[in-house]
Amino acid sequence: VLLHVLFEHAVGYALLALKEVEEISLLLPQVEECVLNLGKFHNIVRLVAFSPFSSSQVALENANAVSEGVVHEDLRLFLETHLPSKKKKVLLGVGDPKIGAAIQEELGYNCQTGGVIAEVLRGVRLHFHNLVKGLTDLSACKAQLGLGHSYSRAKVKFNVNRVDNMIIQSISLLDQLDKDINTFSMRVREWYGYHFPELVKIINDNATYCRLAQFIGNRRELNEEKLEKLEELTMDGAKAKAILDASRSSMGMDISAIDLINIESFSSRVVSLSEYRQSLHTYLRSKMSQVAPSLSALIGEAVGARLIAHAGSLTNLAKYPASTVQILGAEKALFRALKTRGNTPKYGLIFHSTFIGRAAAKNKGRISRYLANKCSIASRIDCFSEVPTSVFGEKLREQVEERLSFYETGEIPRKNLEVMKEAMVQAEEAAAEITRKLEKQEKKRLKKEKKRLAAVALASSENSSSTPEECEETSERPKKKKKKQKPQEEELVSSDLEERAGSGSLPKRKKSLSSPVSDPEESGNKKIPKKKRKLSPKEEPLSSGPEEAAVSKSSGSKKKKKLQKLSQET
C-alpha cells in the first residue's frame, strides 16, 4: 500500500509520498526526531505534485471548502490527476478528519489521520518552502498572512448571527447590571443606615433610596424648605412627610463631613448606573422589535432576548424543537433528574413569562408546553420572514391567553387554522405598509440629496462667476459701443442718399430709410457681413435710457433736414 500525504497551504495543494511506511509506523519516536532535520526528512518524504492557486480569491474559496469539510473542484482534479488509478492500493493521509471523510466518500480513497500522519504534516509545514522549488520562506509567510486576513474577514462579514450579537451582549450586560446595582444598593443602605436607619423602612426602591441619600446628606440639615424636593424624589407626599419627621427623631449616629462626601459620591455612581440600565433596556426593546418582533410580542423583550442569548443566535433558536425551548435554561436540573431518575423540569427560562405565573399549579406544565410551542413558531417566523412584523406574535399571544382561560373556565378557544388565516391577511397588510414607508423614506432621502447637490452646484457657480459690479460693467459696455456706431451709420445713410439723389430716384429714398442700410465699400471689402448690419435695427429697442432716446430724436431731425435740402437741390 502506497502512503501519500495531502498538505493544504496558502499557496496551493501539495501531495507527498512517504518511503518505508511500515518502518516509519513502527519507529514513531525516530520520526519525531527526523522532523527537525531537513536532510533526514528528505529521506522520508518526497514531493510528488504541487498545484498552486491562481489567485487569492481561489485560495480563499479552497480554504473555506476545506474548513467546512467539502471537496473543492480544484482538490478533486488535483487528487484524481496525481494519485494512482488503483484506489485500493492507495492510503491518503490528511490532517482534518472532516475533509478525510469527504474525500473517502466522494473519491473512494482510504484516508488516515493522526499518529505518524500528524508528525509528517508537522515536518512538511516546517520545511515546505524547501520542498517546493521557487518558493521562499518570505513569500510563503506573506501568502499565509494574506489568506488568514481574508479568511477571517469573510467569516466575520458573512456571519449569519451578527444581527443577534447586539441583543446577546445587551441582555448579558443588563443581567450583570441588575446584580451590580443590587449589590451596590445594599452597600449604600448599610453605609448610610448608620446615620439615618429609619429611611430604609420608609423607602423600598433601591434607586430612590440612593437618590435620597445623595440629596439629604446630613439628616440634621433637613427642614421644611426641602420638603418639595423630597416629594419630587419620592413622588409621594406622605412618604416625604414621614422622612422629615423621622429625621428629627432619628436614632442614628452622627457622621463626619468626609464620610458624607464618600457616601454621596458612591450614591451618585449607583444612580448613574441605574439610569444607564434604563437606557440600555430601551435600546434592547428597540433592537428586539427590529430583529424578533413576533417573539418579543409573544413572551416579552427580556425573556425573548434571554432565549436568543442562551441558544446562541436566533437561527439556532429557530432550529430547536418546542421540547428543547421549554427546558432551555434548566439543563442542570434536567441532567440531574435523568441521572437520579427523578422528575424532569417543566420549564426553564420561559418560567419568567407572565403566563406561567398566572396559571394554577396543576396547569403550569401544560401552559409551559403550549407556550414553548408558540415560541418556537414565533422564532421561526422572525428568522425566515423577509419583512418581520409583530402580527404573528400578537395572534400567538391571543392564543395563549385563550388556552389559559380554557384551563381556568373551560371556554373553548379558537382553532389554530382560523387564527393563522387572520394573521396572514394582517401580516400582508402590515408588510405592504412597511414597504410603503420605506419607499417614502427613500424618496425623501433622494429629494434631500438632490437639493444638497443643487445647492453645492449653485455655490460653486457663484464662486466661479464674477461679482455683481463686474456684471453691471459688462452689461454697460455694449451700450457704449452702440452709441459710437450710430454716427457712422448716419454718415453711411447720408452718403447713400447723395449718390441716389444724383440718379434722381427720390421715392426709393424713403424705402431705403426703412430698409437696413449697408455700405457699398464695406460690402466690397467684406469686412462687415450683412448679418451684422441686419441686427442693428433689432438692437435699437434695447436702449431704454433717456440719453439714448434724446440721441435718437436728434438723429431723426438731422435726417429730415438733409432730405429737405436734397429735394430743393433736385
Side-chain angles (χ1 to χ4, degrees):
V1 177
L2 299 174
L3 178 60
H4 292 76
V5 175
L6 175 66
F7 181 68
E8 307 94 2
H9 196 268
V11 294
Y13 292 117
L15 189 65
L16 303 105
L18 270 71
K19 304 174 184 177
E20 301 173 356
V21 180
E22 297 177 355
E23 295 180 9
I24 291 171
S25 60
L26 292 174
L27 304 174
L28 188 59
Q30 296 181 7
V31 175
E32 294 177 357
E33 294 177 1
C34 294
V35 163
L36 300 176
N37 193 346
L38 180 61
K40 293 181 180 180
F41 191 71
H42 269 297
N43 296 329
I44 299 171
V45 178
R46 175 176 58 87
L47 182 67
V48 175
F50 174 67
S51 175
F53 296 130
S54 58
S55 64
S56 60
Q57 186 66 29
V58 175
L60 179 60
E61 291 176 2
N62 282 271
N64 286 325
V66 170
S67 66
E68 293 169 3
V70 179
V71 180
H72 197 267
E73 289 297 325
D74 297 342
L75 180 59
R76 182 195 296 272
L77 182 63
F78 176 70
L79 292 177
E80 289 178 348
T81 305
H82 298 289
L83 282 176
S85 59
K86 296 180 180 180
K87 298 180 180 180
K88 292 183 179 180
K89 293 186 177 181
V90 177
L91 182 63
L92 184 63
V94 293
D96 190 4
K98 289 195 296 183
I99 192 68
I103 291 170
Q104 189 168 355
E105 183 181 351
E106 295 186 19
L107 302 179
Y109 294 106
N110 293 324
C111 296
Q112 181 182 348
T113 57
V116 70
I117 303 298
E119 294 298 327
V120 171
L121 287 174
R122 188 164 66 91
V124 172
R125 194 177 296 108
L126 181 63
H127 305 294
F128 186 70
H129 59 280
N130 293 318
L131 294 172
V132 180
K133 291 182 180 179
L135 183 66
T136 60
D137 189 15
L138 182 62
S139 59
C141 289
K142 284 184 178 179
Q144 285 177 335
L145 186 64
L147 180 61
H149 283 174
S150 57
Y151 179 78
S152 303
R153 196 179 297 114
K155 283 293 181 184
V156 172
K157 185 178 180 181
F158 298 109
N159 183 15
V160 294
N161 305 327
R162 66 184 184 276
V163 181
D164 314 327
N165 291 335
M166 304 304 162
I167 293 174
I168 294 169
Q169 295 296 329
S170 58
I171 192 62
S172 302
L173 181 57
L174 200 64
D175 293 339
Q176 189 66 39
L177 275 175
D178 288 336
K179 293 178 183 178
D180 293 343
I181 289 170
N182 287 332
T183 306
F184 294 159
S185 300
M186 292 303 296
R187 182 63 54 203
V188 172
R189 284 171 180 268
E190 188 177 353
W191 199 355
Y192 191 67
Y194 293 130
H195 177 61
F196 195 0
E198 291 81 8
L199 187 62
V200 178
K201 298 177 182 178
I202 301 170
I203 302 298
N204 296 322
D205 185 47
N206 290 331
T208 309
Y209 185 91
C210 293
R211 288 190 182 93
L212 286 171
Q214 184 183 2
F215 171 70
I216 294 170
N218 192 351
R219 71 171 192 275
R220 297 186 182 278
E221 297 177 0
L222 194 63
N223 50 25
E224 295 287 343
E225 296 176 356
K226 298 181 179 180
L227 188 61
E228 293 182 2
K229 185 66 175 178
L230 284 175
E231 289 180 0
E232 290 180 8
L233 292 173
T234 57
M235 291 184 290
D236 190 355
K239 285 185 179 180
K241 187 67 176 175
I243 291 168
L244 185 61
D245 295 338
S247 65
R248 292 170 180 170
S249 61
S250 177
M251 298 292 292
M253 60 178 284
D254 293 335
I255 196 167
S256 61
I258 189 67
D259 296 333
L260 276 175
I261 290 170
N262 284 292
I263 293 172
E264 288 173 2
S265 63
F266 186 52
S267 302
S268 64
R269 293 291 180 90
V270 179
V271 170
S272 63
L273 277 177
S274 62
E275 290 173 356
Y276 173 66
R277 194 252 179 213
Q278 291 178 356
S279 64
L280 184 66
H281 185 66
T282 55
Y283 165 74
L284 178 65
R285 291 180 63 182
S286 64
K287 206 69 180 174
M288 281 293 293
S289 63
Q290 295 173 5
V291 177
S294 296
L295 187 63
S296 58
L298 171 62
I299 204 171
E301 291 85 3
V303 182
R306 286 191 180 92
L307 287 174
I308 292 172
H310 200 81
S313 68
L314 184 61
T315 309
N316 292 345
L317 184 64
K319 291 176 182 177
Y320 285 162
S323 57
T324 306
V325 175
Q326 181 181 352
I327 58 170
L328 203 65
E331 290 85 1
K332 191 181 289 186
L334 174 66
F335 291 122
R336 185 174 63 245
L338 293 174
K339 188 175 181 181
T340 59
R341 295 183 181 180
N343 294 328
T344 55
K346 298 176 182 178
Y347 27 69
L349 288 169
I350 61 173
F351 176 75
H352 299 286
S353 174
T354 57
F355 296 112
I356 297 174
R358 287 159 51 192
K362 61 179 181 180
N363 296 327
K364 284 186 184 294
R366 296 177 183 178
I367 200 68
S368 65
R369 184 169 60 251
Y370 190 80
L371 181 61
N373 184 12
K374 299 304 178 185
C375 284
S376 63
I377 293 172
S379 61
R380 289 165 192 171
I381 290 170
D382 289 329
C383 184
F384 301 111
S385 61
E386 295 180 359
V387 183
T389 60
S390 61
V391 175
F392 287 101
E394 293 169 359
K395 291 294 181 182
L396 293 172
R397 187 180 180 88
E398 290 176 6
Q399 282 187 295
V400 179
E401 293 278 359
E402 290 175 1
R403 182 55 62 98
L404 192 62
S405 64
F406 168 70
Y407 289 145
E408 292 176 356
T409 62
E411 184 182 353
I412 298 173
R414 292 178 295 171
K415 291 183 179 180
N416 188 42
L417 185 62
E418 298 175 359
V419 177
M420 287 298 108
K421 283 182 179 178
E422 293 178 5
M424 286 292 292
V425 174
Q426 293 182 10
E428 289 177 359
E429 294 176 357
E433 186 67 25
I434 289 170
T435 52
R436 203 178 299 115
K437 286 181 180 179
L438 291 174
E439 288 176 358
K440 285 183 180 179
Q441 290 177 0
E442 186 67 19
K443 287 180 180 178
K444 287 181 180 179
R445 189 186 65 80
L446 291 173
K447 283 183 180 179
K448 288 181 180 179
E449 188 69 19
K450 285 182 181 179
K451 287 181 180 179
R452 188 183 65 82
L453 292 173
V456 170
L458 184 62
S460 61
S461 63
E462 286 178 355
N463 292 332
S464 61
S465 62
S466 59
T467 59
E469 296 177 359
E470 293 176 354
C471 293
E472 290 178 0
E473 291 177 3
T474 53
S475 62
E476 287 175 4
R477 283 171 188 168
K479 292 179 182 179
K480 293 178 181 178
K481 289 180 181 178
K482 288 175 187 175
K483 290 178 183 179
K484 291 179 182 178
Q485 287 176 359
K486 281 185 178 180
Q488 295 177 1
E489 289 176 6
E490 291 173 3
E491 292 175 4
L492 292 172
V493 170
S494 62
S495 61
D496 192 8
L497 289 171
E498 288 175 358
E499 289 176 2
R500 292 186 182 184
S503 61
S505 59
L506 278 175
K508 293 181 180 178
R509 290 172 197 156
K510 293 181 181 179
K511 290 181 181 179
S512 64
L513 288 172
S514 60
S515 62
V517 183
S518 61
D519 191 357
E521 294 179 358
E522 290 181 0
S523 61
N525 296 331
K526 295 182 181 181
K527 289 182 181 179
I528 300 173
K530 292 182 179 180
K531 291 181 180 179
K532 291 185 179 179
R533 287 300 176 188
K534 288 179 182 179
L535 291 173
S536 61
K538 294 180 181 179
E539 291 174 354
E540 288 177 4
L542 293 173
S543 60
S544 59
E547 297 176 0
E548 292 178 3
V551 171
S552 61
K553 287 180 181 179
S554 61
S555 61
S557 61
K558 287 180 181 179
K559 287 178 184 177
K560 287 180 180 179
K561 289 179 181 179
K562 286 183 180 181
L563 286 171
Q564 289 176 1
K565 287 181 181 180
L566 288 170
S567 60
Q568 289 175 2
E569 289 174 359
T570 54

